[in-house]
Amino acid sequence: MTEAGPTPSAAGEAGTTAYDIDWEGLRTRAIEMMRRAYAPYSSFPVGVAGLVDDGRVVAGCNVENAAYGVALCAECGMVSELHATGGGRLVAVSCVGRDGEPLMPCGRCRQLLWENGGPTCLLLARGGILSMADLLPRAFDRDDLDS
Ligand code: THU
């Protein structure tokens, strides 16, 4: 587990450190997004906010569908906003469930975060800060396509 203690310890791809990240601001934005979720089938609203390596914050909420299997996770919306507003790399992410507390991203969304943030992207979890390397060890990614 990557510690986010009082000393900078985890470097993002743009040199951002856990110490620099406004985690409470990111979580507040994630909670705002969670309140906009469309989750009439699960009654489980999710919100997520991510800090981009140029300082932007992108966010999303889950959007469900009567055809249950095509529900969009909150992370899908966030990644869509990332690309729609200029791209870049995610360096820190806060995802919350309906209680506003940190939520662990589902398996598919870990893959989305890996693609757009890589192993050093950080996630606010209940016990502290985790890196994507913690969340998705031995991940499949574009390097595997070359092999
Ligand atoms: N959900 C997300 O939005 N992100 C996750 O990482 C976990 C699950 C949503 C999907 C569905 O709308 C609801 O939570 C219950 O699974």
Side-chain angles (χ1 to χ4, degrees), residues 39 42 44 46 62 64 71-75 95 103-106 109:
S42 70
F44 192 78
V46 178
N62 55 333
E64 297 183 347
L72 302 175
C73 282
E75 293 89 337
C95 182
L103 182 75
M104 297 308 289
C106 74
C109 290

mmCIF file with all atom_site columns, all heavy atoms in Angstrom, residues 39 42 44 46 62 64 71-75 95 103-106 109, ligand 1:
data_model
loop_
_atom_site.group_PDB
_atom_site.id
_atom_site.type_symbol
_atom_site.label_atom_id
_atom_site.label_alt_id
_atom_site.label_comp_id
_atom_site.label_asym_id
_atom_site.label_entity_id
_atom_site.label_seq_id
_atom_site.pdbx_PDB_ins_code
_atom_site.Cartn_x
_atom_site.Cartn_y
_atom_site.Cartn_z
_atom_site.occupancy
_atom_site.B_iso_or_equiv
_atom_site.pdbx_formal_charge
_atom_site.auth_seq_id
_atom_site.auth_comp_id
_atom_site.auth_asym_id
_atom_site.auth_atom_id
_atom_site.pdbx_PDB_model_num
ATOM   1   N N   . ALA A 1 39  ? -29.618 6.164  -10.790 1.00 0.00 ? 39  ALA A N   1
ATOM   2   C CA  . ALA A 1 39  ? -29.468 4.766  -10.353 1.00 0.00 ? 39  ALA A CA  1
ATOM   3   C C   . ALA A 1 39  ? -30.781 4.239  -9.789  1.00 0.00 ? 39  ALA A C   1
ATOM   4   O O   . ALA A 1 39  ? -30.852 3.770  -8.645  1.00 0.00 ? 39  ALA A O   1
ATOM   5   C CB  . ALA A 1 39  ? -28.353 4.662  -9.316  1.00 0.00 ? 39  ALA A CB  1
ATOM   6   N N   . SER A 1 42  ? -30.544 0.049  -9.027  1.00 0.00 ? 42  SER A N   1
ATOM   7   C CA  . SER A 1 42  ? -29.737 -0.460 -7.905  1.00 0.00 ? 42  SER A CA  1
ATOM   8   C C   . SER A 1 42  ? -29.914 0.386  -6.651  1.00 0.00 ? 42  SER A C   1
ATOM   9   O O   . SER A 1 42  ? -29.584 -0.064 -5.555  1.00 0.00 ? 42  SER A O   1
ATOM   10  C CB  . SER A 1 42  ? -28.249 -0.461 -8.273  1.00 0.00 ? 42  SER A CB  1
ATOM   11  O OG  . SER A 1 42  ? -27.753 0.878  -8.357  1.00 0.00 ? 42  SER A OG  1
ATOM   12  N N   . PHE A 1 44  ? -28.049 2.588  -5.910  1.00 0.00 ? 44  PHE A N   1
ATOM   13  C CA  . PHE A 1 44  ? -26.673 2.721  -5.423  1.00 0.00 ? 44  PHE A CA  1
ATOM   14  C C   . PHE A 1 44  ? -25.956 3.777  -6.256  1.00 0.00 ? 44  PHE A C   1
ATOM   15  O O   . PHE A 1 44  ? -25.265 3.466  -7.235  1.00 0.00 ? 44  PHE A O   1
ATOM   16  C CB  . PHE A 1 44  ? -25.942 1.379  -5.487  1.00 0.00 ? 44  PHE A CB  1
ATOM   17  C CG  . PHE A 1 44  ? -24.636 1.385  -4.737  1.00 0.00 ? 44  PHE A CG  1
ATOM   18  C CD1 . PHE A 1 44  ? -24.612 1.269  -3.361  1.00 0.00 ? 44  PHE A CD1 1
ATOM   19  C CD2 . PHE A 1 44  ? -23.432 1.542  -5.410  1.00 0.00 ? 44  PHE A CD2 1
ATOM   20  C CE1 . PHE A 1 44  ? -23.414 1.304  -2.670  1.00 0.00 ? 44  PHE A CE1 1
ATOM   21  C CE2 . PHE A 1 44  ? -22.224 1.575  -4.724  1.00 0.00 ? 44  PHE A CE2 1
ATOM   22  C CZ  . PHE A 1 44  ? -22.223 1.450  -3.350  1.00 0.00 ? 44  PHE A CZ  1
ATOM   23  N N   . VAL A 1 46  ? -23.222 6.389  -7.405  1.00 0.00 ? 46  VAL A N   1
ATOM   24  C CA  . VAL A 1 46  ? -21.755 6.449  -7.307  1.00 0.00 ? 46  VAL A CA  1
ATOM   25  C C   . VAL A 1 46  ? -21.290 7.757  -7.958  1.00 0.00 ? 46  VAL A C   1
ATOM   26  O O   . VAL A 1 46  ? -21.834 8.184  -8.984  1.00 0.00 ? 46  VAL A O   1
ATOM   27  C CB  . VAL A 1 46  ? -21.103 5.249  -8.031  1.00 0.00 ? 46  VAL A CB  1
ATOM   28  C CG1 . VAL A 1 46  ? -19.577 5.344  -7.977  1.00 0.00 ? 46  VAL A CG1 1
ATOM   29  C CG2 . VAL A 1 46  ? -21.581 3.934  -7.421  1.00 0.00 ? 46  VAL A CG2 1
ATOM   30  N N   . ASN A 1 62  ? -22.763 7.370  -12.047 1.00 0.00 ? 62  ASN A N   1
ATOM   31  C CA  . ASN A 1 62  ? -23.289 6.201  -12.758 1.00 0.00 ? 62  ASN A CA  1
ATOM   32  C C   . ASN A 1 62  ? -24.655 6.513  -13.368 1.00 0.00 ? 62  ASN A C   1
ATOM   33  O O   . ASN A 1 62  ? -25.431 7.307  -12.837 1.00 0.00 ? 62  ASN A O   1
ATOM   34  C CB  . ASN A 1 62  ? -23.324 4.941  -11.880 1.00 0.00 ? 62  ASN A CB  1
ATOM   35  C CG  . ASN A 1 62  ? -24.080 5.088  -10.578 1.00 0.00 ? 62  ASN A CG  1
ATOM   36  O OD1 . ASN A 1 62  ? -24.188 6.187  -10.031 1.00 0.00 ? 62  ASN A OD1 1
ATOM   37  N ND2 . ASN A 1 62  ? -24.602 3.992  -10.067 1.00 0.00 ? 62  ASN A ND2 1
ATOM   38  N N   . GLU A 1 64  ? -27.745 4.321  -15.022 1.00 0.00 ? 64  GLU A N   1
ATOM   39  C CA  . GLU A 1 64  ? -28.274 2.967  -15.250 1.00 0.00 ? 64  GLU A CA  1
ATOM   40  C C   . GLU A 1 64  ? -29.295 2.962  -16.381 1.00 0.00 ? 64  GLU A C   1
ATOM   41  O O   . GLU A 1 64  ? -29.626 4.005  -16.955 1.00 0.00 ? 64  GLU A O   1
ATOM   42  C CB  . GLU A 1 64  ? -28.852 2.432  -13.930 1.00 0.00 ? 64  GLU A CB  1
ATOM   43  C CG  . GLU A 1 64  ? -27.760 2.305  -12.876 1.00 0.00 ? 64  GLU A CG  1
ATOM   44  C CD  . GLU A 1 64  ? -28.219 1.708  -11.563 1.00 0.00 ? 64  GLU A CD  1
ATOM   45  O OE1 . GLU A 1 64  ? -29.446 1.603  -11.336 1.00 0.00 ? 64  GLU A OE1 1
ATOM   46  O OE2 . GLU A 1 64  ? -27.338 1.339  -10.763 1.00 0.00 ? 64  GLU A OE2 1
ATOM   47  N N   . ALA A 1 71  ? -25.630 -0.545 -17.959 1.00 0.00 ? 71  ALA A N   1
ATOM   48  C CA  . ALA A 1 71  ? -25.388 0.574  -17.034 1.00 0.00 ? 71  ALA A CA  1
ATOM   49  C C   . ALA A 1 71  ? -23.979 1.114  -17.233 1.00 0.00 ? 71  ALA A C   1
ATOM   50  O O   . ALA A 1 71  ? -23.030 0.360  -17.485 1.00 0.00 ? 71  ALA A O   1
ATOM   51  C CB  . ALA A 1 71  ? -25.569 0.095  -15.599 1.00 0.00 ? 71  ALA A CB  1
ATOM   52  N N   . LEU A 1 72  ? -23.873 2.414  -17.117 1.00 0.00 ? 72  LEU A N   1
ATOM   53  C CA  . LEU A 1 72  ? -22.556 3.060  -17.194 1.00 0.00 ? 72  LEU A CA  1
ATOM   54  C C   . LEU A 1 72  ? -22.074 3.353  -15.780 1.00 0.00 ? 72  LEU A C   1
ATOM   55  O O   . LEU A 1 72  ? -22.764 4.017  -15.007 1.00 0.00 ? 72  LEU A O   1
ATOM   56  C CB  . LEU A 1 72  ? -22.648 4.374  -17.968 1.00 0.00 ? 72  LEU A CB  1
ATOM   57  C CG  . LEU A 1 72  ? -23.180 4.283  -19.396 1.00 0.00 ? 72  LEU A CG  1
ATOM   58  C CD1 . LEU A 1 72  ? -23.318 5.683  -19.988 1.00 0.00 ? 72  LEU A CD1 1
ATOM   59  C CD2 . LEU A 1 72  ? -22.259 3.428  -20.250 1.00 0.00 ? 72  LEU A CD2 1
ATOM   60  N N   . CYS A 1 73  ? -20.913 2.859  -15.445 1.00 0.00 ? 73  CYS A N   1
ATOM   61  C CA  . CYS A 1 73  ? -20.321 3.189  -14.147 1.00 0.00 ? 73  CYS A CA  1
ATOM   62  C C   . CYS A 1 73  ? -19.900 4.664  -14.138 1.00 0.00 ? 73  CYS A C   1
ATOM   63  O O   . CYS A 1 73  ? -19.665 5.271  -15.184 1.00 0.00 ? 73  CYS A O   1
ATOM   64  C CB  . CYS A 1 73  ? -19.093 2.317  -13.878 1.00 0.00 ? 73  CYS A CB  1
ATOM   65  S SG  . CYS A 1 73  ? -19.469 0.635  -13.341 1.00 0.00 ? 73  CYS A SG  1
ATOM   66  N N   . ALA A 1 74  ? -19.771 5.188  -12.931 1.00 0.00 ? 74  ALA A N   1
ATOM   67  C CA  . ALA A 1 74  ? -19.362 6.578  -12.779 1.00 0.00 ? 74  ALA A CA  1
ATOM   68  C C   . ALA A 1 74  ? -18.024 6.845  -13.468 1.00 0.00 ? 74  ALA A C   1
ATOM   69  O O   . ALA A 1 74  ? -17.808 7.909  -14.073 1.00 0.00 ? 74  ALA A O   1
ATOM   70  C CB  . ALA A 1 74  ? -19.267 6.926  -11.293 1.00 0.00 ? 74  ALA A CB  1
ATOM   71  N N   . GLU A 1 75  ? -17.132 5.879  -13.411 1.00 0.00 ? 75  GLU A N   1
ATOM   72  C CA  . GLU A 1 75  ? -15.802 6.056  -13.994 1.00 0.00 ? 75  GLU A CA  1
ATOM   73  C C   . GLU A 1 75  ? -15.874 6.221  -15.507 1.00 0.00 ? 75  GLU A C   1
ATOM   74  O O   . GLU A 1 75  ? -15.015 6.884  -16.107 1.00 0.00 ? 75  GLU A O   1
ATOM   75  C CB  . GLU A 1 75  ? -14.907 4.857  -13.636 1.00 0.00 ? 75  GLU A CB  1
ATOM   76  C CG  . GLU A 1 75  ? -14.572 4.741  -12.152 1.00 0.00 ? 75  GLU A CG  1
ATOM   77  C CD  . GLU A 1 75  ? -15.588 3.925  -11.351 1.00 0.00 ? 75  GLU A CD  1
ATOM   78  O OE1 . GLU A 1 75  ? -16.753 3.804  -11.791 1.00 0.00 ? 75  GLU A OE1 1
ATOM   79  O OE2 . GLU A 1 75  ? -15.218 3.408  -10.288 1.00 0.00 ? 75  GLU A OE2 1
ATOM   80  N N   . CYS A 1 95  ? -13.488 8.016  -5.511  1.00 0.00 ? 95  CYS A N   1
ATOM   81  C CA  . CYS A 1 95  ? -14.748 7.388  -5.910  1.00 0.00 ? 95  CYS A CA  1
ATOM   82  C C   . CYS A 1 95  ? -15.549 7.160  -4.633  1.00 0.00 ? 95  CYS A C   1
ATOM   83  O O   . CYS A 1 95  ? -14.998 6.650  -3.646  1.00 0.00 ? 95  CYS A O   1
ATOM   84  C CB  . CYS A 1 95  ? -14.438 6.063  -6.617  1.00 0.00 ? 95  CYS A CB  1
ATOM   85  S SG  . CYS A 1 95  ? -15.904 5.203  -7.234  1.00 0.00 ? 95  CYS A SG  1
ATOM   86  N N   . LEU A 1 103 ? -15.228 4.310  -2.227  1.00 0.00 ? 103 LEU A N   1
ATOM   87  C CA  . LEU A 1 103 ? -15.708 3.060  -2.820  1.00 0.00 ? 103 LEU A CA  1
ATOM   88  C C   . LEU A 1 103 ? -14.610 2.505  -3.712  1.00 0.00 ? 103 LEU A C   1
ATOM   89  O O   . LEU A 1 103 ? -13.986 3.264  -4.470  1.00 0.00 ? 103 LEU A O   1
ATOM   90  C CB  . LEU A 1 103 ? -16.960 3.363  -3.661  1.00 0.00 ? 103 LEU A CB  1
ATOM   91  C CG  . LEU A 1 103 ? -17.638 2.179  -4.328  1.00 0.00 ? 103 LEU A CG  1
ATOM   92  C CD1 . LEU A 1 103 ? -18.414 1.369  -3.288  1.00 0.00 ? 103 LEU A CD1 1
ATOM   93  C CD2 . LEU A 1 103 ? -18.591 2.658  -5.424  1.00 0.00 ? 103 LEU A CD2 1
ATOM   94  N N   . MET A 1 104 ? -14.396 1.225  -3.646  1.00 0.00 ? 104 MET A N   1
ATOM   95  C CA  . MET A 1 104 ? -13.407 0.610  -4.524  1.00 0.00 ? 104 MET A CA  1
ATOM   96  C C   . MET A 1 104 ? -13.988 0.429  -5.921  1.00 0.00 ? 104 MET A C   1
ATOM   97  O O   . MET A 1 104 ? -15.096 -0.106 -6.061  1.00 0.00 ? 104 MET A O   1
ATOM   98  C CB  . MET A 1 104 ? -12.962 -0.753 -3.962  1.00 0.00 ? 104 MET A CB  1
ATOM   99  C CG  . MET A 1 104 ? -12.266 -0.675 -2.614  1.00 0.00 ? 104 MET A CG  1
ATOM   100 S SD  . MET A 1 104 ? -10.893 0.494  -2.585  1.00 0.00 ? 104 MET A SD  1
ATOM   101 C CE  . MET A 1 104 ? -9.682  -0.384 -3.593  1.00 0.00 ? 104 MET A CE  1
ATOM   102 N N   . PRO A 1 105 ? -13.298 0.873  -6.947  1.00 0.00 ? 105 PRO A N   1
ATOM   103 C CA  . PRO A 1 105 ? -13.803 0.709  -8.317  1.00 0.00 ? 105 PRO A CA  1
ATOM   104 C C   . PRO A 1 105 ? -13.947 -0.762 -8.682  1.00 0.00 ? 105 PRO A C   1
ATOM   105 O O   . PRO A 1 105 ? -13.153 -1.607 -8.250  1.00 0.00 ? 105 PRO A O   1
ATOM   106 C CB  . PRO A 1 105 ? -12.713 1.366  -9.173  1.00 0.00 ? 105 PRO A CB  1
ATOM   107 C CG  . PRO A 1 105 ? -11.975 2.272  -8.243  1.00 0.00 ? 105 PRO A CG  1
ATOM   108 C CD  . PRO A 1 105 ? -12.029 1.604  -6.902  1.00 0.00 ? 105 PRO A CD  1
ATOM   109 N N   . CYS A 1 106 ? -14.949 -1.053 -9.505  1.00 0.00 ? 106 CYS A N   1
ATOM   110 C CA  . CYS A 1 106 ? -15.151 -2.428 -9.962  1.00 0.00 ? 106 CYS A CA  1
ATOM   111 C C   . CYS A 1 106 ? -13.987 -2.836 -10.873 1.00 0.00 ? 106 CYS A C   1
ATOM   112 O O   . CYS A 1 106 ? -13.157 -2.006 -11.272 1.00 0.00 ? 106 CYS A O   1
ATOM   113 C CB  . CYS A 1 106 ? -16.484 -2.550 -10.691 1.00 0.00 ? 106 CYS A CB  1
ATOM   114 S SG  . CYS A 1 106 ? -16.503 -1.830 -12.344 1.00 0.00 ? 106 CYS A SG  1
ATOM   115 N N   . CYS A 1 109 ? -13.642 -1.005 -14.176 1.00 0.00 ? 109 CYS A N   1
ATOM   116 C CA  . CYS A 1 109 ? -13.235 0.397  -14.028 1.00 0.00 ? 109 CYS A CA  1
ATOM   117 C C   . CYS A 1 109 ? -11.789 0.513  -13.575 1.00 0.00 ? 109 CYS A C   1
ATOM   118 O O   . CYS A 1 109 ? -11.130 1.516  -13.859 1.00 0.00 ? 109 CYS A O   1
ATOM   119 C CB  . CYS A 1 109 ? -14.206 1.128  -13.111 1.00 0.00 ? 109 CYS A CB  1
ATOM   120 S SG  . CYS A 1 109 ? -15.807 1.322  -13.938 1.00 0.00 ? 109 CYS A SG  1
HETATM 121 N N1  . THU B 2 .   ? -20.751 1.285  -10.008 1.00 0.00 ? 1   THU B N1  1
HETATM 122 C C1  . THU B 2 .   ? -19.982 2.333  -10.431 1.00 0.00 ? 1   THU B C1  1
HETATM 123 O O1  . THU B 2 .   ? -20.509 3.345  -10.922 1.00 0.00 ? 1   THU B O1  1
HETATM 124 N N2  . THU B 2 .   ? -18.636 2.233  -10.315 1.00 0.00 ? 1   THU B N2  1
HETATM 125 C C2  . THU B 2 .   ? -17.991 1.186  -9.745  1.00 0.00 ? 1   THU B C2  1
HETATM 126 O O2  . THU B 2 .   ? -16.765 1.136  -9.771  1.00 0.00 ? 1   THU B O2  1
HETATM 127 C C3  . THU B 2 .   ? -18.758 0.147  -9.049  1.00 0.00 ? 1   THU B C3  1
HETATM 128 C C4  . THU B 2 .   ? -20.195 0.064  -9.445  1.00 0.00 ? 1   THU B C4  1
HETATM 129 C C5  . THU B 2 .   ? -22.202 1.370  -10.164 1.00 0.00 ? 1   THU B C5  1
HETATM 130 C C6  . THU B 2 .   ? -22.756 0.486  -11.240 1.00 0.00 ? 1   THU B C6  1
HETATM 131 C C7  . THU B 2 .   ? -24.202 0.333  -10.787 1.00 0.00 ? 1   THU B C7  1
HETATM 132 O O3  . THU B 2 .   ? -24.941 1.424  -11.340 1.00 0.00 ? 1   THU B O3  1
HETATM 133 C C8  . THU B 2 .   ? -24.144 0.474  -9.289  1.00 0.00 ? 1   THU B C8  1
HETATM 134 O O4  . THU B 2 .   ? -22.862 0.986  -8.983  1.00 0.00 ? 1   THU B O4  1
HETATM 135 C C9  . THU B 2 .   ? -24.349 -0.838 -8.522  1.00 0.00 ? 1   THU B C9  1
HETATM 136 O O5  . THU B 2 .   ? -23.460 -1.801 -8.960  1.00 0.00 ? 1   THU B O5  1
#
